[in-house]
Amino acid sequence: LAPADRDALLAAGGDAAFFPAGSREARWLREAAVESFRAQSGRDDAQAELQRWIRFGAEEVRAKRDGMNPRTMELGFLARLWMERFMDASSVMTQDFRRRGVELAAEQAKRGAGFLVLWTKDESVPALLDAGRRWERVALLLRERKLAMHPMSQMLEEGAWRARFRSEIGIGGAPQGVDR
């Protein structure tokens, strides 16, 4: 990531920090991303929520116009084709789908320039809305610069990892987003 791009992202992010791929913090974030994804995919309630958000076929994508679909999941051509043709919502609850999801998250966590973390001073509604606006500014800036990010915030959704986050990363508030 070019220094000018990093600086622009941090300016747009406000209360944010960037941890380059080789840093101690990025190594911890990479491990936390994979292990919290593993923990979350092991929970049936979390997997059922994911099940409600994945759109498998082109017809479902056109009809719903929300959620995720195989074309947005960084899948290779054959994996994407397999998902579109032979999988449906019931596939999400299988052990094979969960295992492959963890494997994909592990591969994804290794790639990229590093991790961007956004935080808020507190957990108030105005602070959370502000964090969402800052995240959108970052996303728009990345698009403008022909760069991309990928949310990897399961560690903020899984209690054991969220509890360790501040001591491991050392940010100035409540973490609200982690993107690679």
Side-chain angles (χ1 to χ4, degrees), residues 9-17 116-121 126-141 149 174 176:
L9 293 175
L10 290 172
D15 288 332
L116 179 71
V117 175
L118 275 74
W119 68 84
T120 56
K121 302 263 189 283
L128 295 175
L129 290 172
D130 179 61
R133 289 182 190 107
R134 290 185 285 122
W135 188 89
E136 285 294 334
R137 279 196 296 274
V138 168
L140 290 169
L141 180 64
M149 69 179 170
Q176 300 302 334

Short mmCIF file of all heavy atoms in Angstrom, two decimals, residues 9-17 116-121 126-141 149 174 176:
data_model
loop_
_atom_site.label_atom_id
_atom_site.label_comp_id
_atom_site.label_asym_id
_atom_site.label_seq_id
_atom_site.Cartn_x
_atom_site.Cartn_y
_atom_site.Cartn_z
N LEU A 9 -6.39 7.00 3.64
CA LEU A 9 -7.34 6.11 4.32
C LEU A 9 -7.45 6.46 5.79
O LEU A 9 -8.55 6.48 6.35
CB LEU A 9 -6.91 4.66 4.16
CG LEU A 9 -6.96 4.08 2.76
CD1 LEU A 9 -6.39 2.68 2.74
CD2 LEU A 9 -8.37 4.11 2.22
N LEU A 10 -6.33 6.71 6.42
CA LEU A 10 -6.35 7.07 7.84
C LEU A 10 -7.05 8.40 8.07
O LEU A 10 -7.79 8.56 9.05
CB LEU A 10 -4.94 7.07 8.41
CG LEU A 10 -4.30 5.69 8.54
CD1 LEU A 10 -2.83 5.81 8.93
CD2 LEU A 10 -5.07 4.82 9.52
N ALA A 11 -6.85 9.35 7.16
CA ALA A 11 -7.54 10.64 7.27
C ALA A 11 -9.05 10.44 7.13
O ALA A 11 -9.84 11.02 7.89
CB ALA A 11 -7.02 11.62 6.23
N ALA A 12 -9.47 9.62 6.18
CA ALA A 12 -10.90 9.36 5.97
C ALA A 12 -11.48 8.55 7.13
O ALA A 12 -12.64 8.72 7.49
CB ALA A 12 -11.12 8.62 4.65
N GLY A 13 -10.67 7.68 7.73
CA GLY A 13 -11.14 6.80 8.79
C GLY A 13 -11.27 7.47 10.14
O GLY A 13 -11.97 6.98 11.02
N GLY A 14 -10.61 8.61 10.33
CA GLY A 14 -10.70 9.29 11.63
C GLY A 14 -10.02 8.48 12.71
O GLY A 14 -8.81 8.27 12.66
N ASP A 15 -10.78 8.02 13.69
CA ASP A 15 -10.22 7.16 14.74
C ASP A 15 -9.95 5.80 14.13
O ASP A 15 -10.81 4.91 14.11
CB ASP A 15 -11.19 7.05 15.93
CG ASP A 15 -11.26 8.33 16.73
OD1 ASP A 15 -10.27 9.09 16.74
OD2 ASP A 15 -12.30 8.58 17.34
N ALA A 16 -8.75 5.65 13.58
CA ALA A 16 -8.40 4.45 12.83
C ALA A 16 -6.89 4.24 12.91
O ALA A 16 -6.13 5.17 13.17
CB ALA A 16 -8.83 4.58 11.38
N ALA A 17 -6.49 3.01 12.67
CA ALA A 17 -5.07 2.68 12.61
C ALA A 17 -4.87 1.66 11.50
O ALA A 17 -5.76 0.84 11.24
CB ALA A 17 -4.58 2.12 13.94
N LEU A 116 -6.84 -2.52 8.58
CA LEU A 116 -7.33 -1.22 9.01
C LEU A 116 -8.33 -1.46 10.13
O LEU A 116 -9.24 -2.28 9.99
CB LEU A 116 -8.02 -0.49 7.85
CG LEU A 116 -8.60 0.88 8.16
CD1 LEU A 116 -7.48 1.89 8.38
CD2 LEU A 116 -9.51 1.34 7.03
N VAL A 117 -8.15 -0.77 11.25
CA VAL A 117 -9.04 -0.90 12.39
C VAL A 117 -9.68 0.46 12.66
O VAL A 117 -8.98 1.47 12.77
CB VAL A 117 -8.28 -1.37 13.65
CG1 VAL A 117 -9.19 -1.40 14.87
CG2 VAL A 117 -7.65 -2.75 13.41
N LEU A 118 -11.01 0.48 12.74
CA LEU A 118 -11.73 1.69 13.12
C LEU A 118 -12.30 1.50 14.52
O LEU A 118 -12.73 0.40 14.86
CB LEU A 118 -12.89 1.97 12.15
CG LEU A 118 -12.56 2.74 10.88
CD1 LEU A 118 -11.81 1.88 9.90
CD2 LEU A 118 -13.81 3.29 10.27
N TRP A 119 -12.31 2.56 15.31
CA TRP A 119 -12.85 2.47 16.65
C TRP A 119 -13.65 3.72 16.99
O TRP A 119 -13.62 4.71 16.26
CB TRP A 119 -11.75 2.23 17.69
CG TRP A 119 -10.80 3.37 17.88
CD1 TRP A 119 -10.96 4.46 18.68
CD2 TRP A 119 -9.53 3.53 17.27
NE1 TRP A 119 -9.87 5.29 18.61
CE2 TRP A 119 -8.97 4.73 17.75
CE3 TRP A 119 -8.79 2.77 16.36
CZ2 TRP A 119 -7.72 5.20 17.34
CZ3 TRP A 119 -7.55 3.23 15.96
CH2 TRP A 119 -7.03 4.43 16.46
N THR A 120 -14.37 3.62 18.10
CA THR A 120 -15.13 4.75 18.62
C THR A 120 -14.69 4.99 20.06
O THR A 120 -14.17 4.09 20.72
CB THR A 120 -16.65 4.46 18.60
OG1 THR A 120 -16.92 3.26 19.33
CG2 THR A 120 -17.17 4.33 17.18
N LYS A 121 -14.92 6.20 20.53
CA LYS A 121 -14.56 6.53 21.92
C LYS A 121 -15.46 5.80 22.91
O LYS A 121 -15.06 5.48 24.01
CB LYS A 121 -14.67 8.04 22.14
CG LYS A 121 -13.79 8.86 21.21
CD LYS A 121 -12.49 9.24 21.86
CE LYS A 121 -11.70 10.23 21.05
NZ LYS A 121 -11.01 9.68 19.91
N PRO A 126 -24.75 7.69 18.58
CA PRO A 126 -24.08 8.65 17.70
C PRO A 126 -22.66 8.22 17.32
O PRO A 126 -22.23 8.40 16.17
CB PRO A 126 -24.05 9.95 18.52
CG PRO A 126 -25.21 9.83 19.44
CD PRO A 126 -25.27 8.36 19.79
N ALA A 127 -21.93 7.62 18.27
CA ALA A 127 -20.57 7.16 17.96
C ALA A 127 -20.59 6.03 16.95
O ALA A 127 -19.76 5.99 16.03
CB ALA A 127 -19.87 6.71 19.24
N LEU A 128 -21.54 5.12 17.09
CA LEU A 128 -21.64 4.00 16.14
C LEU A 128 -22.05 4.48 14.76
O LEU A 128 -21.51 4.01 13.75
CB LEU A 128 -22.62 2.96 16.66
CG LEU A 128 -22.21 2.26 17.96
CD1 LEU A 128 -23.32 1.34 18.44
CD2 LEU A 128 -20.91 1.51 17.80
N LEU A 129 -22.97 5.44 14.69
CA LEU A 129 -23.35 6.00 13.39
C LEU A 129 -22.17 6.70 12.74
O LEU A 129 -21.95 6.58 11.53
CB LEU A 129 -24.53 6.96 13.55
CG LEU A 129 -25.87 6.30 13.90
CD1 LEU A 129 -26.91 7.37 14.23
CD2 LEU A 129 -26.35 5.39 12.80
N ASP A 130 -21.40 7.43 13.53
CA ASP A 130 -20.22 8.09 13.01
C ASP A 130 -19.21 7.07 12.48
O ASP A 130 -18.61 7.28 11.42
CB ASP A 130 -19.57 8.96 14.10
CG ASP A 130 -18.33 9.65 13.58
OD1 ASP A 130 -18.42 10.44 12.63
OD2 ASP A 130 -17.23 9.35 14.12
N ALA A 131 -19.03 5.97 13.17
CA ALA A 131 -18.11 4.92 12.71
C ALA A 131 -18.58 4.37 11.37
O ALA A 131 -17.76 4.13 10.46
CB ALA A 131 -18.01 3.80 13.74
N GLY A 132 -19.87 4.17 11.20
CA GLY A 132 -20.40 3.70 9.93
C GLY A 132 -20.16 4.68 8.80
O GLY A 132 -19.80 4.30 7.69
N ARG A 133 -20.32 5.95 9.10
CA ARG A 133 -20.05 6.98 8.08
C ARG A 133 -18.57 7.00 7.70
O ARG A 133 -18.23 7.14 6.52
CB ARG A 133 -20.48 8.35 8.60
CG ARG A 133 -21.98 8.52 8.69
CD ARG A 133 -22.34 9.93 9.17
NE ARG A 133 -23.75 10.00 9.46
CZ ARG A 133 -24.25 10.07 10.70
NH1 ARG A 133 -23.45 10.11 11.75
NH2 ARG A 133 -25.55 10.10 10.87
N ARG A 134 -17.71 6.88 8.69
CA ARG A 134 -16.27 6.87 8.41
C ARG A 134 -15.90 5.65 7.58
O ARG A 134 -15.09 5.73 6.65
CB ARG A 134 -15.46 6.91 9.71
CG ARG A 134 -15.57 8.26 10.42
CD ARG A 134 -14.68 8.36 11.65
NE ARG A 134 -15.23 7.60 12.77
CZ ARG A 134 -14.58 6.62 13.40
NH1 ARG A 134 -13.38 6.26 13.05
NH2 ARG A 134 -15.16 5.98 14.42
N TRP A 135 -16.50 4.50 7.90
CA TRP A 135 -16.23 3.28 7.14
C TRP A 135 -16.65 3.48 5.68
O TRP A 135 -15.93 3.10 4.76
CB TRP A 135 -16.98 2.10 7.76
CG TRP A 135 -16.59 0.79 7.14
CD1 TRP A 135 -15.58 -0.04 7.53
CD2 TRP A 135 -17.20 0.15 6.02
NE1 TRP A 135 -15.53 -1.15 6.72
CE2 TRP A 135 -16.51 -1.05 5.78
CE3 TRP A 135 -18.27 0.49 5.18
CZ2 TRP A 135 -16.85 -1.92 4.75
CZ3 TRP A 135 -18.60 -0.38 4.14
CH2 TRP A 135 -17.90 -1.57 3.95
N GLU A 136 -17.81 4.10 5.47
CA GLU A 136 -18.28 4.36 4.10
C GLU A 136 -17.33 5.32 3.37
O GLU A 136 -17.06 5.14 2.18
CB GLU A 136 -19.70 4.94 4.10
CG GLU A 136 -20.75 3.91 4.40
CD GLU A 136 -20.88 2.83 3.33
OE1 GLU A 136 -20.54 3.08 2.14
OE2 GLU A 136 -21.33 1.74 3.67
N ARG A 137 -16.82 6.34 4.08
CA ARG A 137 -15.85 7.25 3.44
C ARG A 137 -14.61 6.49 3.00
O ARG A 137 -14.09 6.71 1.90
CB ARG A 137 -15.48 8.39 4.40
CG ARG A 137 -16.49 9.50 4.44
CD ARG A 137 -15.94 10.76 5.08
NE ARG A 137 -15.59 10.62 6.47
CZ ARG A 137 -16.44 10.76 7.49
NH1 ARG A 137 -17.70 11.06 7.26
NH2 ARG A 137 -16.02 10.62 8.73
N VAL A 138 -14.13 5.60 3.85
CA VAL A 138 -12.97 4.78 3.51
C VAL A 138 -13.28 3.92 2.29
O VAL A 138 -12.49 3.83 1.35
CB VAL A 138 -12.52 3.92 4.71
CG1 VAL A 138 -11.52 2.85 4.29
CG2 VAL A 138 -11.92 4.80 5.80
N ALA A 139 -14.44 3.26 2.28
CA ALA A 139 -14.82 2.39 1.17
C ALA A 139 -14.89 3.17 -0.14
O ALA A 139 -14.41 2.70 -1.18
CB ALA A 139 -16.16 1.71 1.47
N LEU A 140 -15.47 4.37 -0.10
CA LEU A 140 -15.56 5.19 -1.31
C LEU A 140 -14.19 5.65 -1.77
O LEU A 140 -13.91 5.67 -2.98
CB LEU A 140 -16.49 6.38 -1.07
CG LEU A 140 -17.96 6.03 -0.92
CD1 LEU A 140 -18.75 7.24 -0.42
CD2 LEU A 140 -18.54 5.50 -2.22
N LEU A 141 -13.34 6.00 -0.84
CA LEU A 141 -11.98 6.42 -1.19
C LEU A 141 -11.21 5.26 -1.82
O LEU A 141 -10.49 5.44 -2.82
CB LEU A 141 -11.25 6.93 0.06
CG LEU A 141 -9.81 7.39 -0.15
CD1 LEU A 141 -9.77 8.62 -1.06
CD2 LEU A 141 -9.17 7.71 1.19
N MET A 149 -11.11 -3.42 0.12
CA MET A 149 -10.95 -3.93 1.48
C MET A 149 -11.96 -5.04 1.70
O MET A 149 -12.93 -5.18 0.95
CB MET A 149 -11.10 -2.83 2.52
CG MET A 149 -12.47 -2.26 2.68
SD MET A 149 -12.44 -0.99 3.98
CE MET A 149 -14.06 -0.29 3.77
N ALA A 174 -13.27 1.68 21.61
CA ALA A 174 -13.98 0.43 21.35
C ALA A 174 -13.84 0.07 19.87
O ALA A 174 -14.28 0.85 19.00
CB ALA A 174 -15.46 0.59 21.72
N GLN A 176 -14.62 -1.12 16.25
CA GLN A 176 -15.89 -1.26 15.53
C GLN A 176 -15.75 -1.93 14.19
O GLN A 176 -16.74 -2.37 13.61
CB GLN A 176 -16.54 0.12 15.35
CG GLN A 176 -16.85 0.84 16.63
CD GLN A 176 -17.76 0.05 17.55
OE1 GLN A 176 -18.54 -0.79 17.13
NE2 GLN A 176 -17.67 0.33 18.85
#
